[in-house]
Amino acid sequence: MEVGKVYRVAGPMVQATGLKSHMYDLVLVGEDGLMSEVIGISGDKHIIQVYEDTSGVRPGEPVKETGAALVAQLGPGVLTSIYDGVQRPLPALAEASGNFISRGLFIDGIDHKKKWDFEPVVKKGDRVKPGQTIGTVQEQLLIKHKIMVPPNLKGGEVKEIYSGNFTVEETVCVLDGTELPMIQYWPVRMARPSTEKLAPTVPLRTGQRVIDGFFSLARGGTAAIPGGFGTGKTVMQQTLAKWSDVDIVVYVGCGERGNEMADLLHEFPELVDPKTGRPLMERSIVYANTSNMPVAAREASVYTGMTTSEYYRDMGYDVLLTADSTSRWAEAMREMSSRLEEMPGEEGYPAYLGARLADFYERAGRVTTLEGGEGSVSVVGAVSPPGGDFTEPVTQNTLRIVKVFWALDSKLTQRRHFPSINWLESYSLYDLDLEPWFVENVSPDWNKNKRRAMLILQENAELEEIVMLVGSDALPDDQQLTLEVARMIINFWLAQSAFHPVDTFCLYEKQYDLLEAILEYREFAFEALGRGVPVDEINSAASKDALAKIRLLDDYKPELEKVIKQMGDEFKAMS
Amino acid sequence: MTKEYKTINEISGPLIFVEKTEPVGFNELVEIRTEGGESKRGQVLDTSDEIVVVQVFEGTGGLSKESSVRFTGDVIKMPLSPDIIGRVLSGSGQPRDGGPPIVPDVEREIGGAAINPAIRDKPRAFIQTGISTIDGTNTLVRGQKLPIFSGAGLPHNDIALQIARQAKTLGEAEVFGVVFCAMGITNEEAQHFMADFERTGALERAVVFLNLADDPAVERLLTPKLGLTTAEYLAYDLGMHVLVIYTDMTNYCESMRQMGAAREEVPGRRGYPGYMYTDLATNYERAGIIMGLNGSITQFPILTMPGDDITHPIPDLSGYITEGQMIVSRELHRKGIYPPIDIRPSLSRLMNSGIGEGHTREDHRAVSDQLYAYYAEGCDLRGLVAIVGKEALSERDRLVLDFADAFEQRFVNQGRDEDRSIFDTLDIGWDLLSTLPETMLTRIDDYIIKKYHPKYRKE
């Protein structure tokens, strides 16, 4: 192991001489051995970003090489973990250093002492390929962890295979002379390979009407949630993490609030998974690198999160990675770039911002794994544009890459309309790809209703501009009715309370039924208008108010039937 | 004994560049002595074999190449003991009240290591401030950081003082300790604060750090860090619940920009340094509660938005770190409404964990949402009325418009010494909502209407 010397210290950026490390190799800086990464080489000096506070580090202190890049430790025990940005388990850090995070601690990402029951699925003499499963471990009650041949190994003939209780470091299989433990180390900045990327033809159910109904995300797709502060990005991210129909959730809290992370860490273990009745935490991994934790570790956190996501994808699971917020990640890049005195691009961000964002989002996808199974990583990235201005570089560069755009709107927040996704600005480019799925699996009318609702909202937006000038009473009756129907779609269907026990989650069928009922109301109303019923009388229909409360009911079907019947009777009685 | 150097090579603004030193640690505390014998303190910003850059807190006035520099080998620490309560200190932590220096029980690094997120407790204890626009619609909880975004000439200081006076936790007798950090405020403002602290006896449970407008700007960069280190001591060592009020964060950020320019750094937005987000976060994130410990830190940063522009980098970055914001509105202030808090853009992110059954009352969330919805709609309608007149509005719209006016007069408006209980606040809310037909209360569950609506309560 080479030992170099610190030459210069300026915040999280250190220069050192006498090193032979490669780019992105991990090195340990100073007497305390602070975790760091080589990010540049200039002349005889290595430029190093330090993942910890550098207070007190002096020129002349040693810099130790590790000869390897920053890696994630992958194996049984990753699930339910709470990590910092460089995969150090936070509860273990608290045990080692108390309430505040101190420096120079290196703690394994997974417990190396815990024994797991390994059950082989291959026999002695079998030939195995990279990525192939050689055995399984029941990691959580409902999650079987597949132990795979690391993708960067050649594969070969199984010479020995064991069964029983092992730690992650003990050999469970011998492959042509290579001893395989359960643990794998994978450099976080490198994508894990797969056989083939698949087309995005299956939607990812989120239980949120405005998303599933209007702007759905495909499995393996990418989405961005930009919004100024206070527009509900974090609540949105957490709601998605809670309710999305995936096997594993990886939540990366990147440069965000400590209290929010505390909230999440308290809530996840208590939350019950609607599908299985088990705690949500059993299938979650949380990376919590809050805004006051070292900025370089923040930069690394999205890669560590992505690497763990890909690892579970390789087992054939559907994974959702939510990153909150990618703007903080970009800012970490900017901060490091400015300390490196690089020539700045737009607004001080480094010129490679777009390339880095693209690299990251491209690691998402629904794939055929090396073994031939199917798994996916879907990515939802929050973006926090300064001043809510979507023309800034991070939002713009993100939009060039992602396929779904959920624009959060502060006007809607102020009206307490949640989720505050603006239905006119948002889009999903997966729309057409997903239509056949909805026709086949939900209702042949799904796409038709969606388009009709969207048209009404479009018309509503135009009419509202007129109303702002002349008042709603000046509009012809049919347009007044359209305004009312749009209001119903907005308030009864698009608005959804994340804090209401029932309304927080909505299945496709209920989404469809509710929208269908509103559109049916519209039919009745226009038919009545055609008969000459005054618009005021139509708008005061009691069934409309009854319809508003259906979404809050768990067993909504009988009540909905009643309301639809009431609707029919009421309109028939109008003359 | 550490060596003294007389090797200053360059002095530039608040920075000095020292050559030919033995290895010096990053962030180390530096003592500088002028030829006249005056002593100043500084901190290492950049260190290498060849040159060390030091920022001088008391300003570089009076320094020359002949001044001597001593590196202490240690980072800046704050001396702390229970006797610090009731003291008035300067922006760099020296006594300002004529009292003796603090004899420390402990000395703490002021940088403040990050609280491990895994051992943070979830803030959920409701704080009653007695102000309806906060308690009712933007509830504060213990451990939260909730800034007041204001503008020049608005009564943000009065609001902060009223909160410091009235804040209490329901059912607990304990009052809050106060750490007050003033950064670059005027002498008059400082006197106003001090007079109020003395009038109400709050000084007996307060620690005050004063960096006034004519004190060195660099010193301001230390003030919140010293204040928060003190707050952490009071909270986690002495088990107190602490309110930290700092004013004005805008001055703090200006100092940061000044330092950045002096160091010839690549500037970010509007000339502010690229690390401003991280720097602000290291202050704001020191609010919170730690599992298993008694105390807590709640923060009230005050910042004046330059030109009332909320997209300015200072309020913008703050808003991304803090758990909501209170917006002081010039328009409401002009209407003579106090406190002129505009609830529409205001927000408390931790509200949900501190309200409802067991905290305040079960109808709190629903009432708040419904008030919000119609007040926002009413405000939108005002724009319309200006064009078409009130007569052109529908019956429903007229009701909403009147609701918005009544809301400002009865809910928002209150006395400077009026301490409303949360139940009073909610009842005022219900009174206002009862001016609307019951069918319009779409955001409230039926059983809650049946239980709390004035119409049913009277029966």
Side-chain angles (χ1 to χ4, degrees):
Chain A
M1 194 191 282
E2 293 285 331
V3 176
K5 271 197 169 72
V6 173
Y7 167 75
R8 178 183 169 203
V9 190
M13 203 266 296
V14 164
Q15 294 184 7
T17 52
L19 291 178
K20 291 211 173 62
S21 285
H22 304 102
M23 280 291 275
Y24 301 121
D25 272 3
L26 202 68
V27 292
L28 304 173
V29 167
E31 310 285 358
D32 285 340
L34 308 179
M35 244 175 123
S36 322
E37 188 177 14
V38 176
I39 54 166
I41 299 170
S42 156
D44 61 341
K45 295 190 188 77
H46 276 63
I47 298 160
I48 296 165
Q49 65 175 355
V50 186
Y51 295 128
E52 304 182 66
D53 180 30
T54 51
S55 285
V57 176
R58 298 157 192 259
E61 287 192 32
V63 178
K64 293 189 202 85
E65 299 191 312
T66 63
L70 176 65
V71 289
Q73 300 195 355
L74 304 167
V78 172
L79 284 179
T80 76
S81 291
I82 302 161
Y83 294 122
D84 75 352
V86 285
Q87 215 208 2
R88 296 185 300 178
L90 288 169
L93 274 181
E95 240 166 70
S97 79
N99 296 333
F100 296 89
I101 296 173
S102 60
R103 304 185 299 169
L105 291 167
F106 183 82
I107 296 175
D108 286 313
I110 49 179
D111 192 338
H112 285 209
K113 298 219 170 61
K114 182 167 177 178
K115 296 223 176 207
W116 297 90
D117 191 11
F118 175 81
E119 229 175 276
V121 296
V122 291
K123 307 182 303 289
K124 207 163 149 175
D126 284 357
R127 294 203 66 84
V128 292
K129 289 183 305 204
Q132 190 174 338
T133 307
I134 52 173
T136 60
V137 165
Q138 200 67 40
E139 187 177 2
Q140 291 293 329
L141 191 65
L142 297 169
I143 304 278
K144 202 165 244 179
H145 191 114
K146 292 182 182 168
I147 307 296
M148 301 164 286
V149 179
N152 51 353
L153 235 63
K154 276 229 303 282
E157 194 190 325
V158 177
K159 297 280 190 216
E160 290 291 344
I161 181 100
Y162 308 102
S163 153
N165 276 313
F166 300 98
T167 67
V168 290
E169 278 182 315
E170 284 168 341
T171 305
V172 291
C173 174
V174 180
L175 210 60
D176 282 345
T178 317
E179 297 191 341
L180 287 185
M182 286 192 263
I183 193 170
Q184 290 188 22
Y185 298 88
W186 191 266
V188 298
R189 289 179 200 277
M190 206 162 108
R192 285 173 67 89
S194 57
T195 308
E196 188 192 10
K197 276 209 174 187
L198 301 170
T201 49
V202 185
L204 179 69
R205 192 186 66 215
T206 64
Q208 308 305 304
R209 289 185 291 266
V210 59
I211 294 179
D212 292 349
F214 275 173
F215 313 109
S216 41
L217 175 62
R219 265 177 211 285
T222 52
I225 317 184
F229 62 81
T231 46
K233 278 189 305 294
T234 301
V235 175
M236 195 72 238
Q237 290 267 34
Q238 295 187 0
T239 310
L240 290 175
K242 272 184 237 169
W243 300 116
S244 289
D245 179 24
V246 290
D247 303 307
I248 311 279
V249 172
V250 178
Y251 191 97
V252 182
C254 172
E256 286 288 311
R257 302 174 181 87
N259 279 335
E260 251 166 31
M261 292 314 306
D263 191 32
L264 185 113
L265 297 180
H266 278 87
E267 200 174 334
F268 267 33
E270 285 167 21
L271 269 179
V272 174
D273 185 341
K275 265 197 313 193
T276 61
R278 301 288 307 168
L280 187 62
M281 198 64 205
E282 286 185 0
R283 56 183 185 87
S284 307
I285 304 154
V286 177
Y287 287 87
N289 207 84
T290 57
S291 54
N292 56 337
M293 285 158 76
V295 63
R298 191 200 303 166
E299 197 268 332
S301 63
V302 296
Y303 295 108
T304 346
M306 181 54 96
T307 307
T308 27
S309 304
E310 287 172 338
Y311 178 64
Y312 280 92
R313 172 203 72 189
D314 291 347
M315 292 178 211
Y317 289 118
D318 287 316
V319 184
L320 174 71
L321 171 73
T322 62
D324 185 14
S325 143
T326 56
S327 293
R328 305 292 157 242
W329 169 48
E331 273 162 23
M333 261 189 257
R334 173 165 74 181
E335 209 173 311
M336 295 314 298
S337 160
S338 128
R339 299 222 190 243
L340 286 173
E341 294 169 2
E342 288 173 344
M343 189 66 82
E346 218 180 333
E347 292 197 20
Y349 286 103
Y352 46 79
L353 173 71
R356 289 276 171 90
L357 282 167
D359 278 350
F360 171 69
Y361 282 106
E362 268 305 291
R363 288 172 73 171
R366 193 161 68 99
V367 302
T368 305
T369 61
L370 292 181
E371 202 177 17
E374 195 183 301
S376 69
V377 176
S378 314
V379 179
V380 176
V383 185
S384 322
D389 168 17
F390 290 173
T391 62
E392 59 90 38
V394 181
T395 315
Q396 284 306 311
N397 278 302
T398 304
L399 289 185
R400 279 215 293 275
I401 308 155
V402 300
K403 296 286 191 301
V404 180
F405 173 53
W406 296 317
L408 298 184
D409 186 342
S410 58
K411 285 231 179 63
L412 291 174
T413 325
Q414 288 179 16
R415 273 188 250 154
R416 290 300 186 261
H417 175 103
F418 291 113
S420 57
I421 295 178
N422 183 314
W423 46 89
L424 298 174
E425 278 183 49
S426 305
Y427 59 78
S428 165
L429 298 180
Y430 297 119
D431 252 1
L432 290 177
D433 296 324
L434 297 177
E435 276 189 1
W437 190 94
F438 282 110
V439 167
E440 202 172 306
N441 294 282
V442 189
S443 160
D445 287 338
W446 174 277
N447 300 303
K448 198 181 77 203
N449 279 0
K450 170 171 146 184
R451 277 194 288 271
R452 278 171 67 197
M454 204 52 178
L455 272 177
I456 296 171
L457 291 173
Q458 289 279 4
E459 201 181 333
N460 174 63
E462 286 161 27
L463 291 177
E464 267 185 344
E465 280 178 28
I466 304 174
V467 169
M468 282 318 276
L469 293 173
V470 299
S472 60
D473 281 0
L475 291 184
D477 285 357
D478 62 326
Q479 294 190 344
Q480 283 191 42
L481 204 52
T482 300
L483 282 179
E484 192 58 31
V485 172
R487 196 178 282 167
M488 288 168 74
I489 295 177
I490 293 166
N491 293 334
F492 307 167
W493 197 69
L494 292 175
Q496 193 170 353
S497 167
F499 301 111
H500 192 283
V502 175
D503 199 29
T504 177
F505 175 72
C506 192
L507 286 167
Y508 285 140
E509 192 189 0
K510 186 172 174 186
Q511 299 185 11
Y512 175 78
D513 287 346
L514 285 174
L515 187 59
E516 175 71 19
I518 296 171
L519 294 173
E520 209 166 316
Y521 175 94
R522 181 176 178 276
E523 296 296 314
F524 278 125
F526 273 92
E527 187 268 332
L529 194 69
R531 276 189 282 130
V533 181
V535 70
D536 285 345
E537 192 181 338
I538 296 176
N539 282 349
S540 56
S543 50
K544 190 181 72 187
D545 297 315
L547 193 55
K549 311 243 162 162
I550 300 290
R551 64 197 167 100
L552 307 179
L553 300 174
D554 198 8
D555 181 24
Y556 69 98
K557 286 225 164 181
E559 194 62 27
L560 184 65
E561 257 170 52
K562 249 192 270 170
V563 172
I564 292 178
K565 188 169 173 304
Q566 185 190 352
M567 215 149 60
D569 295 347
E570 215 171 359
F571 280 107
K572 243 179 254 159
M574 289 178 193
S575 59
Chain B
M1 191 59 205
T2 44
K3 275 190 194 163
E4 284 203 7
Y5 297 94
K6 287 201 171 184
T7 51
I8 296 180
N9 164 277
E10 186 186 336
I11 304 175
S12 155
L15 301 182
I16 57 174
F17 298 78
V18 189
E19 286 182 323
K20 300 189 197 97
T21 58
E22 310 224 309
V24 170
F26 177 70
N27 262 350
E28 213 169 89
L29 176 66
V30 184
E31 281 170 8
I32 306 132
R33 198 180 301 278
T34 64
E35 289 159 277
E38 191 195 346
S39 124
K40 290 175 188 278
R41 299 192 304 164
Q43 186 178 15
V44 175
L45 290 185
D46 193 332
T47 169
S48 69
D49 284 345
E50 281 128 39
I51 206 145
V52 178
V53 184
V54 177
Q55 71 175 359
V56 184
F57 292 120
E58 283 91 355
T60 45
L63 293 185
S64 73
K65 283 190 160 187
E66 302 308 310
S67 304
S68 63
V69 180
R70 193 171 70 83
F71 297 97
T72 59
D74 209 351
V75 293
I76 300 180
K77 287 183 173 163
M78 175 78 196
L80 293 161
S81 81
D83 296 334
I84 200 167
I85 301 169
R87 296 297 301 269
V88 181
L89 306 170
S90 77
S92 57
Q94 313 296 329
R96 204 184 169 115
D97 50 6
I102 291 140
V103 181
D105 281 357
V106 286
E107 290 194 317
R108 293 273 158 81
E109 286 186 25
I110 65 161
I115 301 178
N116 188 323
I119 54 105
R120 265 182 192 270
D121 206 351
K122 180 177 167 177
R124 57 186 128 203
F126 166 69
I127 297 178
Q128 180 177 299
T129 63
I131 297 175
S132 291
T133 36
I134 299 178
D135 296 351
T137 45
N138 291 291
T139 315
L140 174 71
V141 295
R142 220 150 55 186
Q144 188 172 7
K145 43 193 178 292
L146 192 61
I148 300 178
F149 287 6
S150 186
L154 294 176
H156 42 264
N157 289 342
D158 288 347
I159 299 172
L161 280 170
Q162 189 170 1
I163 292 166
R165 256 193 329 266
Q166 298 182 166
K168 57 178 101 44
T169 315
L170 286 187
E172 282 181 38
E174 198 180 350
V175 284
F176 284 89
V178 174
V179 171
F180 179 75
C181 303
M183 291 162 285
I185 64 169
T186 63
N187 203 352
E188 269 167 43
E189 283 172 312
Q191 278 181 17
H192 180 62
F193 273 106
M194 294 307 297
D196 198 86
F197 284 151
E198 274 163 32
R199 176 171 73 88
T200 57
L203 193 57
E204 283 166 33
R205 52 189 171 90
V207 185
V208 177
F209 292 85
L210 288 182
N211 164 283
L212 299 185
D214 55 351
D215 289 333
V218 194
E219 192 184 88
R220 263 160 234 166
L221 294 175
L222 276 186
T223 312
K225 297 194 163 51
L226 294 170
L228 288 163
T229 308
T230 310
E232 278 169 0
Y233 172 74
L234 298 180
Y236 306 133
D237 288 42
L238 305 185
M240 292 169 71
H241 294 294
V242 186
L243 275 187
V244 183
I245 300 175
Y246 26 91
T247 181
D248 177 330
M249 278 315 268
T250 307
N251 295 334
Y252 174 81
C253 295
E254 294 294 331
S255 293
M256 212 188 304
R257 177 162 68 174
Q258 194 184 332
M259 286 306 304
R263 291 165 68 180
E264 295 175 5
E265 289 167 347
V266 180
R269 214 151 47 106
R270 300 222 194 165
Y272 293 96
Y275 50 80
M276 190 156 89
Y277 178 83
T278 307
D279 188 281
L280 285 172
T282 54
N283 293 319
Y284 294 143
E285 277 295 333
R286 290 169 84 173
I289 312 175
I290 292 176
M291 276 192 255
L293 295 183
N294 275 326
S296 66
I297 296 180
T298 310
Q299 291 188 13
F300 267 107
I302 298 172
L303 57 93
T304 47
M305 298 180 279
D308 290 355
D309 175 12
I310 198 170
T311 66
H312 185 280
I314 299 170
D316 191 52
L317 293 181
S318 295
Y320 277 121
I321 307 164
T322 55
E323 283 127 2
Q325 66 279 336
M326 295 283 146
I327 311 270
V328 183
S329 143
R330 204 169 289 280
E331 192 191 330
L332 287 175
H333 181 60
R334 282 202 199 106
K335 286 186 188 169
I337 288 167
Y338 173 90
I341 295 175
D342 187 351
I343 64 159
R344 287 171 302 156
S346 299
L347 172 76
S348 165
R349 292 167 181 275
L350 303 183
M351 176 168 179
N352 269 303
S353 53
I355 62 170
E357 194 100 59
H359 300 281
T360 55
R361 213 165 74 181
E362 59 173 332
D363 57 331
H364 196 152
R365 163 55 58 197
V367 170
S368 167
D369 280 355
Q370 194 70 73
L371 288 171
Y372 251 108
Y374 284 121
Y375 179 58
E377 198 179 330
C379 290
D380 288 348
L381 285 170
R382 283 180 187 159
L384 180 59
V385 169
I387 303 170
V388 298
K390 206 169 172 180
E391 290 66 32
L393 293 187
S394 67
E395 178 62 23
R396 178 187 179 280
D397 287 355
R398 262 199 294 274
L399 279 174
V400 174
L401 189 69
D402 291 341
F403 170 86
D405 292 337
F407 179 82
E408 285 174 5
Q409 290 304 330
R410 294 190 48 207
F411 190 89
V412 182
N413 197 21
Q414 68 182 87
R416 279 175 162 73
D417 282 308
E418 186 180 348
D419 192 357
R420 283 184 194 159
S421 81
I422 177 64
F423 307 110
D424 289 345
T425 294
L426 291 176
D427 289 345
I428 295 172
W430 274 111
D431 284 348
L432 291 166
L433 289 176
S434 67
T435 62
L436 303 170
E438 207 182 301
T439 47
M440 278 174 72
L441 306 182
T442 51
R443 287 172 195 246
I444 309 180
D445 276 336
D446 277 335
Y447 78 96
I448 288 190
I449 295 184
K450 292 277 181 308
K451 198 163 163 190
Y452 294 98
H453 194 289
K455 189 171 105 192
Y456 298 98
R457 263 189 297 164
K458 272 171 205 146
E459 276 162 17

